[in-house]
Amino acid sequence: MATIQSCCIKDCKIRPTMTCLGCSKLLYCGPHHKEHRDHLHVKLLKVADNCNQLLEEIKALINDPQKHPLMKNIDEWETQSIAKIRRVAQKNREELLPYVKNCIPQVEMKLASLITEVRQNPDDCGFMDTDIENWTKELERIKATLNSPPDFNIRLDSTEFLSKICLKVEVHFQTFGQRHREKIKTKQSNDLTDIPHIPSNATWIQNGVTVAGGNRQGSAINQLDHPFGLFVDDDETVVIADYWNLRITQWKDGNTTNGQVVAGGNGRGYRLNQLLYPTDVLIDKEMDNLIICYKGRVVKWSRYRGTTQGKILIDNILCYGLAMDNQRYLYVSDEENHAVRRYQAGDKNGTLVAGGNDRGVELNQLNSPRYLFVDRQQNVYVSDCNNHRVMKWPKGSKEGIVVAGGQGQGDALTQLNSPQGLFVDNLGTLYVSDSENHRVMRWTQAAKKGTVIVGGNGAGEEANQFNYPWGLSFDRHGNLYVADKENHRVQRFSIE
């Protein structure tokens, strides 16, 4: 405060007055000066209290980040959305109920009529096979009418029903490497949402296009030597287990001239920079690692440039095929023990999910399990090679279900001959490499026989032929990729 000769700002006419340099040079007399200073002191204490209060809130958030205010916004959106869904669902139930009440008696009358017809002469053998077939079809129609009456149906509205919620995070304080890893984690996941929707009647161009290898057997960068398993990334990059070359190679879409060695390729052995006859490979998209199985081990290998060796995940296992579910559990087929096991991070022993009851043909057995596929419900599909069938093991089941083949070794449409790579789409349709029949087959759910979608023209090296098709996969557009083992190439068949 500086003493000057002027009137107080409070109009009290008292002189001399003092100016407050921190308050735009306002003038105060002695009593009002003290009052002003006391007022400033109260404001200062309030700021200090607010600082302490915010510090306590920060400490509470450190202990429990779920209490962050943005979390409350998400919780409110969830609550409001659920309430809206429940209101609409209840309204539709009330509207549907009268129709259901009217439909049930009509269905009951049709069923009663059918029962009367079926029971009229049960002992005189006066009915024929065609009668039984017609009665069975009529029963199926009655059941379908009960479950889905033709006069009304449930339709999902294509218009937006709920307000959307999304989270956009911009990172400003991380290093470039951290930002790169964060970008990968945000963009990619193992949630299986990129499984293509392939129509049940889809067809593929019968002449394949070579997207890797195709320059005869060899170890040059433009060659493959017995490709086994393969994986197609989101950008249609193909990663291949190059078996006899003891390496994993990567081939970018649109550049079929040369591949790139991304793991192994350092000779035969068990050093961490070597691979001993790799049979399958997948990409753990969340961690941006390759997961590779070869004779005796499962290893992970970072995809970052400059990585020179892998890290052992599972040791002392005669593994062949790999799969990963949307919770990042790893599934591995064990040829020696005729079993499939599931592993979580850090687990060395795994949990048995298929087989494990010695070699055999029973539903609780496998015989040389090869490649795997796991769907959203964690059902495990296994190419049961030496039993010439594909098995589906529902989650938690002690027995599998034959979903393809199982009619002995052969080339009929009801048979398989040493099945290898497989894939299951969103409709539950199975695609399998029927290796010794040199074809790829499609088996819809509950089908007794499959259909040939590509190949099936004898062993050969023409564009419409295979010479032992092995691993297979699809890209997000529904194009089919097949490792043509003895032709030392990977073929892509475009969906029509």
Side-chain angles (χ1 to χ4, degrees):
M1 291 291 184
T3 302
I4 58 175
Q5 298 292 326
S6 183
C7 294
C8 176
I9 195 172
K10 299 291 186 179
D11 293 328
C12 62
K13 310 301 183 183
I14 297 178
R15 297 183 183 183
T17 58
M18 293 171 286
T19 183
C20 178
L21 298 178
C23 299
S24 302
K25 298 184 179 180
L26 299 178
L27 303 178
Y28 295 94
C29 64
H32 287 134
H33 161 246
K34 183 178 183 306
E35 178 184 324
H36 175 64
R37 293 296 298 172
D38 290 341
H39 181 64
L40 290 180
H41 185 65
V42 170
K43 285 186 174 183
L44 178 63
L45 291 177
K46 187 174 181 180
V47 171
D49 288 340
N50 290 339
C51 288
N52 292 331
Q53 182 178 351
L54 182 58
L55 180 60
E56 293 301 319
E57 292 176 6
I58 291 173
K59 290 180 179 179
L61 287 175
I62 292 174
N63 294 328
D64 188 4
Q66 291 289 340
K67 293 183 178 179
H68 193 280
L70 290 178
M71 295 292 184
K72 293 181 179 179
N73 292 343
I74 297 174
D75 293 341
E76 291 174 1
W77 172 84
E78 180 185 28
T79 301
Q80 294 170 3
S81 298
I82 291 173
K84 186 174 182 179
I85 290 171
R86 285 175 174 166
R87 287 195 301 269
V88 175
Q90 184 58 31
K91 180 181 178 182
N92 280 276
R93 289 190 192 100
E94 293 170 357
E95 293 178 356
L96 179 61
L97 191 58
Y99 294 97
V100 172
K101 288 181 177 179
N102 290 333
C103 174
I104 292 175
Q106 297 174 18
V107 174
E108 184 183 25
M109 290 176 60
K110 290 182 180 180
L111 181 59
S113 176
L114 177 61
I115 291 173
T116 300
E117 186 176 349
V118 170
R119 292 178 177 175
Q120 61 183 350
N121 289 308
D123 299 323
D124 62 5
C125 296
F127 52 88
M128 303 174 62
D129 289 345
T130 54
D131 295 323
I132 294 176
E133 183 178 353
N134 291 334
W135 292 335
T136 301
K137 290 181 179 179
E138 179 62 15
L139 181 60
E140 291 175 352
R141 283 193 291 268
I142 291 173
K143 185 176 181 180
T145 301
L146 176 63
N147 294 331
S148 183
D151 296 331
F152 56 91
N153 57 71
I154 301 297
R155 180 177 60 85
L156 298 180
D157 197 339
S158 61
T159 58
E160 187 172 312
F161 177 56
L162 296 175
S163 58
K164 295 180 180 179
I165 185 171
C166 62
L167 177 66
K168 182 178 180 181
V169 180
E170 294 183 5
V171 181
H172 300 286
F173 54 87
Q174 294 177 324
T175 65
F176 172 79
Q178 289 172 324
R179 285 198 301 271
H180 177 66
R181 288 190 289 273
E182 189 67 28
K183 179 181 178 182
I184 291 171
K185 289 182 180 181
T186 302
K187 179 182 177 182
Q188 299 178 332
S189 66
N190 297 303
D191 62 1
L192 304 177
T193 55
D194 53 353
I195 295 177
H197 176 79
I198 302 174
S200 59
N201 61 346
T203 58
W204 287 262
I205 295 174
Q206 294 302 293
N207 287 341
V209 176
T210 301
V211 295
N215 297 295
R216 302 296 179 187
Q217 180 181 7
S219 60
I221 200 63
N222 68 340
Q223 293 177 306
L224 296 171
D225 193 345
H226 291 82
F228 272 51
L230 57 83
F231 188 95
V232 182
D233 202 0
D234 296 337
D235 60 358
E236 297 168 33
T237 295
V238 185
V239 181
I240 305 164
D242 194 1
Y243 184 82
W244 283 106
N245 281 328
L246 312 170
R247 66 191 184 186
I248 305 297
T249 56
Q250 174 177 284
W251 300 70
K252 293 287 188 180
D253 180 51
N255 179 12
T256 60
T257 304
N258 294 315
Q260 175 189 1
V261 178
V262 291
N266 296 302
R268 183 178 183 273
Y270 278 102
R271 296 198 309 270
L272 292 180
N273 69 338
Q274 296 176 312
L275 300 175
L276 188 63
Y277 306 118
T279 52
D280 203 8
V281 59
L282 62 80
I283 298 175
D284 178 359
K285 298 178 184 179
E286 184 170 331
M287 302 306 296
D288 202 29
N289 291 327
L290 297 173
I291 309 295
I292 306 162
C293 76
Y294 60 93
K295 300 298 183 183
R297 282 180 183 167
V298 178
V299 299
K300 70 176 180 180
W301 200 295
S302 174
R303 298 182 75 194
Y304 291 123
R305 187 183 298 273
T307 301
T308 58
Q309 66 181 32
K311 180 179 179 181
I312 299 172
L313 296 178
I314 307 167
D315 211 353
N316 300 317
I317 180 173
L318 191 62
C319 56
Y320 202 102
L322 297 169
M324 181 175 283
D325 66 18
N326 51 11
Q327 297 181 23
R328 297 190 64 250
Y329 284 106
L330 184 66
Y331 297 73
V332 183
S333 62
D334 182 349
E335 271 202 296
E336 183 177 22
N337 295 305
H338 309 286
V340 178
R341 293 185 175 274
R342 180 182 65 223
Y343 298 82
Q344 56 183 336
D347 185 4
K348 300 296 183 182
N349 298 317
T351 302
L352 184 69
V353 294
N357 296 297
D358 297 324
R359 174 170 46 196
V361 299
E362 301 299 324
L363 293 180
N364 67 342
Q365 294 178 304
L366 297 169
N367 188 353
S368 190
R370 293 290 177 87
Y371 291 100
L372 306 172
F373 189 92
V374 182
D375 64 18
R376 288 186 176 87
Q377 290 73 41
Q378 295 183 327
N379 300 311
V380 181
Y381 294 79
V382 189
S383 55
D384 191 8
C385 180
N386 289 345
N387 282 330
H388 310 290
R389 66 189 184 185
V390 175
M391 301 289 289
K392 174 184 177 182
W393 289 68
K395 182 180 179 182
S397 175
K398 300 298 182 182
E399 290 187 345
I401 303 166
V402 179
V403 292
Q407 303 296 319
Q409 181 179 10
D411 60 1
L413 293 180
T414 57
Q415 295 176 305
L416 295 171
N417 192 347
S418 300
Q420 299 293 336
L422 49 83
F423 189 92
V424 181
D425 68 16
N426 280 325
L427 298 177
T429 301
L430 169 71
Y431 302 83
V432 57
S433 289
D434 190 9
S435 66
E436 295 197 21
N437 286 323
H438 312 289
R439 64 191 184 186
V440 174
M441 299 191 72
R442 170 173 58 198
W443 296 70
T444 56
Q445 290 193 67
K448 298 301 182 183
K449 64 180 181 179
T451 57
V452 178
I453 60 171
V454 289
N457 300 304
E461 60 182 21
E462 298 300 322
N464 67 342
Q465 290 180 305
F466 295 117
N467 195 354
Y468 293 94
W470 226 248
L472 67 78
S473 189
F474 288 85
D475 64 22
R476 54 197 174 93
H477 304 295
N479 301 314
L480 171 64
Y481 295 72
V482 183
D484 191 6
K485 183 166 72 78
E486 297 295 330
N487 283 326
H488 314 290
R489 65 187 182 185
V490 172
Q491 297 287 88
R492 180 178 64 202
F493 296 86
S494 299
I495 190 169
E496 291 185 312

